[in-house]
Amino acid sequence: MAEYGEWWTAPAEGADGKLIMVTGRRDVDTFRKNPKFNIRVEITWPYESGSTGMPDEATSELMQEVQDALQEVFRKDPIAVLTGIYTGDGQRNWVFYTMSTHIFQRKINEALAEFDLLPLSISAENDPDWAEYEEMKEASEID
């Protein structure tokens, strides 16, 4: 298994027809088979976008730094797994599956401590069947 997993990327279309780049993780079977990983957490970062709906270069670079920090903290303590990234139409969404929202919150704070205030919103929902992950795969026609 690669350090941060095996990933695929595919274009998709948002509700208003704008391009959304969908990146999904392939190697999630270990997490999916563990019934404790039943909470889906989504972190959303809205951003200003032009006609393409994509972030500017500086925002994109900062988003990558944030993503690297998140992945590193969960690599060290695998209480959550990043399964999907949606970028386009003025926002980036990171989708995680976790076993505990309380520990997830502590780890997010740890990962983001070095950054200035970020425009993030976080939501959580029970998803024991990994329905969002399945929808992402189907929408992107990925096995």
Side-chain angles (χ1 to χ4, degrees):
M1 181 166 64
E3 183 176 353
Y4 293 125
E6 298 171 21
W7 297 86
W8 52 264
T9 299
E13 193 173 286
D16 62 357
K18 288 190 178 176
L19 173 68
I20 308 269
M21 292 305 296
V22 179
T23 302
R25 185 168 173 170
R26 292 184 199 277
D27 59 331
V28 297
D29 287 345
T30 300
F31 299 97
R32 286 189 78 174
K33 290 177 184 173
N34 184 337
K36 292 180 181 179
F37 284 86
N38 63 359
I39 304 166
R40 183 180 72 245
V41 178
E42 294 187 30
I43 300 175
T44 301
W45 180 330
Y47 56 82
E48 293 293 322
S49 65
S51 60
T52 66
M54 293 296 159
D56 62 33
E57 187 173 340
T59 303
S60 183
E61 288 173 4
L62 181 56
M63 288 177 172
Q64 187 60 52
E65 290 175 27
V66 167
Q67 183 173 313
D68 290 346
L70 293 170
Q71 287 180 296
E72 180 63 19
V73 79
F74 291 121
R75 185 188 62 77
K76 290 179 181 175
D77 188 1
I79 61 96
V81 59
L82 177 60
T83 60
I85 306 158
Y86 299 83
T87 306
D89 202 11
Q91 68 180 18
R92 172 165 293 177
N93 291 297
W94 289 283
V95 179
F96 291 85
Y97 282 85
T98 186
M99 56 178 70
S100 167
T101 54
H102 298 294
I103 298 171
F104 185 86
Q105 180 181 2
R106 282 201 332 259
K107 292 297 177 181
I108 288 289
N109 289 338
E110 179 184 320
L112 302 180
E114 68 183 76
F115 297 96
D116 291 332
L117 185 63
L118 298 168
L120 304 177
S121 63
I122 301 173
S123 63
E125 183 176 318
N126 288 328
D127 187 4
D129 298 326
W130 286 51
E132 189 282 335
Y133 183 80
E134 284 302 317
E135 287 175 23
M136 175 184 62
K137 282 177 40 179
E138 288 173 16
S140 301
E141 300 175 3
I142 301 299
D143 294 328

